[in-house]
Every structure is written in C-alpha cells, then in structure tokens.
Amino acid sequence: MRSRCYAALLGLLLVVAGLVGVAQPAQAANLLTNPGFEAGSLSGWTCSAGAVVGSPVRTGSYALSGGVTASDTGQCSQTVAVQPGTQYTLSAWVRGSYVYLGVTGGASTWTPSAANYSQLTVAFTTGASQTSAQIYLHGWYGQPAYLADDVSLDGPGGQPPAGVPGVPGAPSVTGTTNSAISLAWGTSTGTVTGYRVYEGATVVKTVTGTSTSIDGLPACTSHSYSVAAYNSNGESAKSAATSGTTTGCTNTGLPKHALIGYLHASFANGSGYIRVADIPAAWNIINLSFGESTTATSGDIRFNRCPAAECPNVESDADFLAAIKAKQAQGKKVLISIGGANGQVQLTSTAARDAFVNSVSAIIDRWGLDGVDIDFEGHSLYLNAGDTDFRNPTTPVIVNLISALKTLKAKYGAKFVLTMAPETFFVQVGYQFYGGAGGGDNRTGSYLPVIHALRDALTVLHVQDYNSGPVMGLDNQYHNMGGADFHIAMTDMIKAGFPVANTGHTFPGLRQDQIAFGLPAAVSAGNGYTAPAAVHQALDCLVKGQSCGGYTLRGGSSPAFRGLMTWSINWDRYYNWEFQNSHAPYLAALP
C-alpha cells in the first residue's frame, strides 16, 4: 500500500485476450439481430451511447458509431441464446482506435488502430451449463468514436435437443446446520424423471422432487450448487448456481461491523508515526505495515520497526509489545501485514514456502499477534500460461502461498485471523480477463485461486476499491472508483460470485461476514477517495438493500457485512480523523 502502484489501471489498458484456437463449428445463420445495423437504428442492441450512421460503412447503408466519451466506452451489446458446451465464432468489421470485441465473462480481442475497416474475430466455447451469451463492442475512454459493421455470431442457436426437460429454477437455500444445507428449486418444464444437484461438475444428490438436503458437510464451509433436470432423452442445462454456508463458524471476537486500518509501523510515509497505544479504540483490526521479504523470492519475511531517525516519537520494543497486548485485552485484533506496494513476495519454490511459514511464525510469536494480512501487490502473484482452473491452480507462487497459509492456520488454530487486501485488478477484473488463459497480463484475477482455497479459513477479504481503473461489474457496465456505485458493484461481485473469463468456471461468492471493502482515509492516501455520504450510501445498499441507485444487487443484501478497511490510520490522524469519526458510528448503528 505504500507508494500505491497503478497496476489496475495500467493492466486494464494493456490486457488483451488472445484468439482461442478451436475447430470451427458447422456454418449457421448469424444469431444476432440487426447485425449490420441495416434497420437504420440500434434495434436489437443495448448501447450506453452511440448511433447508426450512413457513412462510412463497410456494406449496406448503415454502420454503428460508438459514442465514446471521457467517461464512457460507448459499449453496445446483445444477448443471444446459445447451446452449452458448443463452439462459436464472433466477428465484426471495425474502424478506429482501441476497438474491442468480445463475450462478457469470456474471450475478447481488440485493435489499437484501424484506419480502414478491419475484421476482428474471436472463437469461444460455451460453458457446460451456459444457455446465453452477451457479445459486446466498445471503444476506450477519451478516444474518438469507433465504427462497426457486419457483426456476426456463427454457431447453433440455443434450442435444446428434442424431448429434454427445460432448465429448472435456480435453487435457494432453505436451511443450514453445522453439517447440512437444504435446497429448493423451481420445477422444470417438460417430462422430468428427476433432478441432479451439482457442486461444480460433481453430482452430489439425485432426487425426484424439487427439494433436498446435502448432508455430511464440514461446519462453517461454503458450497455452491446448481440443478439440472433429466429424462430418457437427456439432461437439461444447469440452473444458475446458489451458494450456502454451514453453521458452526468460530467466533473470532470481532464486532458484527468492524473498522479495519493499516498502521505505518515500519515507516512514516509523510503522515507521521502513531504509537500503538495512541490508536483510538474505534479501530477493531490493526494491520502492522509491513513485513517484507529479504529478496523477492526468498520467502524470508522480516518486520523492522520504524527507525527513530524517520519516526522520532517511536516507542521502545517493550512499549510496542505492551501496547499490542493492551489492544488485545480490549478485544482488538493486531495482525502483521505482509507485502505492500514495495514488498514483492514470490514463493517460487517449496524452500521459499517453508521460509515464509517459519519467518512469519517468528514475527507472530515475537509480538504475540492475532494473525496475518496478505497485501500482495505488483508482481507477487501471477498465473502461468494454461493455469485456467482457479479451483486447482498449478502456478508455484499460487500453490506455495496457499500451502503456507493453510500451514499457518493449522499451527495457530481456529481463532487465527486471516485477512487479504487485493487490488481489483487481481480479483474483479478476473470476470473479463484471467491471466492463465493467456493473451494478456498474467496477473489478472490471480488472487482468485488463493481466496477460493482459503475461503473457509478467511476472516475478512477487503478489496482495495482505489488506485483502480474502470472495472466491469455483474451488470456488464464499467464502474469508476470514487463513488457509491463502485463500492456497491465491486462488493456485489464478491458476494454473488462470477464466471471467470475464458475458463468455463464460476468463482463462488463468499459469506457476507467475510466481506468488507477498502478505501483511502483521505485525498492524500490514494486515488479513489470517497466522500463519507457516498460511503454511507454504499453501506445502506449492501447491508439494507436501500439507496442502490440504478444498480440491482445480484448477491442480495448482506446484514452481516463485515465493514470498512482504510489506508491508513496514520493518514486518518493526519486529516483529523475524518474516516474514523464518519464511519465508526455509522457502522455501529447498522442493524
């Protein structure tokens, strides 16, 4: 977090999804409505801005002119019915600078400059339960209007095989215990022999009715289920997935809605040093920043307290330790935060993994800390080419980090506090681009396998909703930092879950008590400062389902939403405690 990098914005500008080499399907009629805009209108298309024009066109009498502005990419999209597990080819003739063509949540391509009409083509295969696809065209912020003509989606239409039942309604969770999740779903159309309940690609229950209970589950674990109907003619596509969590979670001692802050414990960073004893009681989690690696790949983490030359009022080691114990006696959690913008940690080997576990354990033991915060930024995490299943990662820096954190959790037990502070680039951008799928920045979405593998050990995920470029939300619109809309859309993705681009896999949402979001304490602390009133609007939407503006929560409201994180406690003190004084009372007053 120190010297915050602009990875998210830069990555969004540089990410390019490559063409997927697959066999071409049999030729079919173009599945798009008004593909050449010859209706003389945008009929069939949904556009944030734009119009049809009579010149220049590639063929016919009309073409699309995308309405790009400084704050709008001029996206036009169309949703069509498709068949699951089927190959399709999308193409369009485009003209202009930075023109993009793609499938929402899937493959895409672009051209940086096309002085004349040039064809963009991208092939993709629908997921195992996918029955619709949204295709899109857009330009880029601040660029001239783009042109598009003769858009084509080639492949079979979305009609199911004859006699196969229709897709059942999405399941809903009707009850939970320490070892079971009960489900109910809507009846399928057609002749139905029974229903299969899936967790991922695995059938976990087969029943004849429209409800069941999945038993034998571990306590405090999250699961995602979808349902398919079947008869002698075959099986329907899967329903939308629903997540549920068994009860029996360990009480970590945190309040229902917590205030989380980073403390510059090893440097001053222009905002001044704060002694631990002087941190106000409003802060529930204090992240000591930072533990950093001796070299990028050593895994040997060291926590060096701020030197007196930089922090004249720094307390002694004895006072530092005593203050930590006093905070813990008040019910506060004190963690060591590892990484930051300048602290690259790449666990490329098992030796680095073991060094990480040993050195982090030594820091925890030396200062009597409650756990660890993982703030890996820059190039600490990435995905090797071909590593496309976030559920089963193969890249060493990912695999070794997961193993190290599981070892620490097992060593310190159920009350070990584990938090993470990824940037949007490493989480939500995975909806559009996933590094292991190739063709772009191999860091996109690279936190997803770590979050997923640790989801049952994770205390709080507080994504940094700042220093970010525009990010596409589940409404397939781009959202910009600095307002309530960004926090609502980004947080909803974590609660609802989302398809991971180009992989055919869906990242399941987290429990609501595991979710917070992060923002700068003040204008000097990072780009994306959000005024208190807008933060409160976002909280009202996320917690109560109120004041959501034009956004519809896909994951529903979250009464147990954990709270707010900020960079940093030091910057908040520097600005007369605006963050604490505005938000601690508001969090406390939430239901």
Side-chain angles (χ1 to χ4, degrees), residues 1 260 262 421 462 464 466 517-519 563-567 579:
M1 292 192 183
I260 304 164
Y262 286 80
H462 34 64
Q464 300 173 30
Y466 49 97
F517 65 79
L519 58 163
L564 299 175
M565 172 274 279
T566 194
W567 177 261
F579 190 93

Side-chain angles (χ1 to χ4, degrees), residues 48-50 66-75 139-146 470 480:
S48 61
V68 179
T69 68
S71 59
D72 193 328
T73 61
Q75 176 166 300
W140 197 250
Y141 300 94
Q143 299 294 322
Y146 67 92
N480 297 282

Side-chain angles (χ1 to χ4, degrees), residues 32-122:
L32 298 175
T33 300
N34 194 19
F37 307 95
E38 294 306 305
S41 70
L42 296 177
S43 174
W45 295 87
T46 299
C47 299
S48 61
V52 295
V53 294
S55 178
V57 301
R58 178 178 176 268
T59 62
S61 301
Y62 298 100
L64 167 69
S65 176
V68 179
T69 68
S71 59
D72 193 328
T73 61
Q75 176 166 300
C76 286
S77 63
Q78 188 172 144
T79 300
V80 296
V82 294
Q83 294 184 16
T86 304
Q87 297 174 344
Y88 291 85
T89 300
L90 173 65
S91 65
W93 291 83
V94 301
R95 178 173 171 172
S97 300
Y98 298 97
V99 189
Y100 295 74
L101 173 72
V103 184
T104 299
S108 65
T109 187
W110 74 318
T111 177
S113 180
N116 298 304
Y117 275 106
S118 300
Q119 190 175 38
L120 293 176
T121 302
V122 60

Side-chain angles (χ1 to χ4, degrees), residues 18 85 113 115 118 131 155 189 191 193 207 263 270 343 383 396 425-426 491 527 576:
S113 180
S118 300
T131 57
T189 58
T191 302
T193 301
V207 296
L263 180 75
L383 293 155
F425 183 72
F426 298 99
T491 307
N527 290 326
N576 298 316

Side-chain angles (χ1 to χ4, degrees), residues 422-443:
E423 296 166 288
T424 58
F425 183 72
F426 298 99
V427 183
Q428 289 94 337
V429 172
Y431 179 48
Q432 279 192 290
F433 308 104
Y434 192 64
D441 194 315
N442 66 349
R443 298 172 297 158

Side-chain angles (χ1 to χ4, degrees), residues 5-13 140-141 423-425 429 464-472 478-481 486 490 527:
C5 62
Y6 292 86
L9 175 59
L10 180 60
L12 278 170
L13 293 174
W140 197 250
Y141 300 94
E423 296 166 288
T424 58
F425 183 72
V429 172
Q464 300 173 30
D465 284 1
Y466 49 97
N467 292 340
S468 171
V471 183
M472 180 177 283
Y478 284 100
H479 299 268
N480 297 282
M481 63 181 183
F486 191 71
M490 294 303 97
N527 290 326

